[in-house]
Amino acid sequence: MGHTEPLIMQIYCRLEVAVTDPELIGKLAGQQLREAEIDWSRREEDLEEAIHQLESDLTQALSCVVEHDRMIEHLPGVESRGGLVFTAFGKPDDRFRPGFTDFL
């Protein structure tokens, strides 16, 4: 058998959620930031400033704690190569629908 190159694919997904405890999401994001191995000496802000900013911005906090790799972890032969998660308040953007072309 010859070696074949992996096929690179993109998964586009929109998931609507109801956040019932925004404070808890902020605390979880802050905790994960504390546990991350970040060299804060090269940053403009320090750890506590970054945690405060993260805990006070629900869209940023929720984006940080979503584990998008988990949606494929049960699939054999599929490996995550990275991704982007973003969150927004309100109804879905009209551009985010199957067949969109103006979004990219």
Side-chain angles (χ1 to χ4, degrees):
M1 282 189 165
H3 174 73
T4 60
E5 291 295 316
L7 300 171
I8 306 304
M9 302 179 75
Q10 307 292 323
I11 296 174
Y12 297 100
C13 178
R14 182 181 62 79
L15 178 65
E16 183 173 311
V17 299
V19 178
T20 59
D21 194 340
E23 188 176 319
L24 185 59
I25 295 298
K27 286 182 180 181
L28 178 60
Q31 175 186 340
Q32 289 181 0
L33 188 57
R34 266 194 184 81
E35 294 169 358
E37 295 180 13
I38 296 173
D39 180 2
W40 290 98
S41 66
R42 298 178 176 201
R43 307 236 176 202
E44 291 182 19
E45 60 195 359
D46 66 18
L47 174 61
E48 292 308 313
E49 289 172 330
I51 288 173
H52 175 72
Q53 180 181 354
L54 186 58
E55 289 179 344
S56 62
D57 183 344
L58 180 59
T59 58
Q60 185 180 6
L62 184 56
S63 293
C64 289
V65 299
V66 170
E67 297 177 36
H68 56 282
D69 293 350
R70 292 192 66 187
M71 76 174 139
I72 62 159
E73 71 183 359
H74 67 284
L75 300 174
V78 178
E79 174 186 325
S80 175
R81 294 173 50 106
L84 169 68
V85 172
F86 64 93
T87 62
F89 287 102
K91 295 182 178 185
D93 189 303
D94 286 341
R95 295 175 297 174
F96 205 109
R97 62 185 179 278
F100 64 86
T101 57
D102 60 336
F103 190 67
L104 298 176

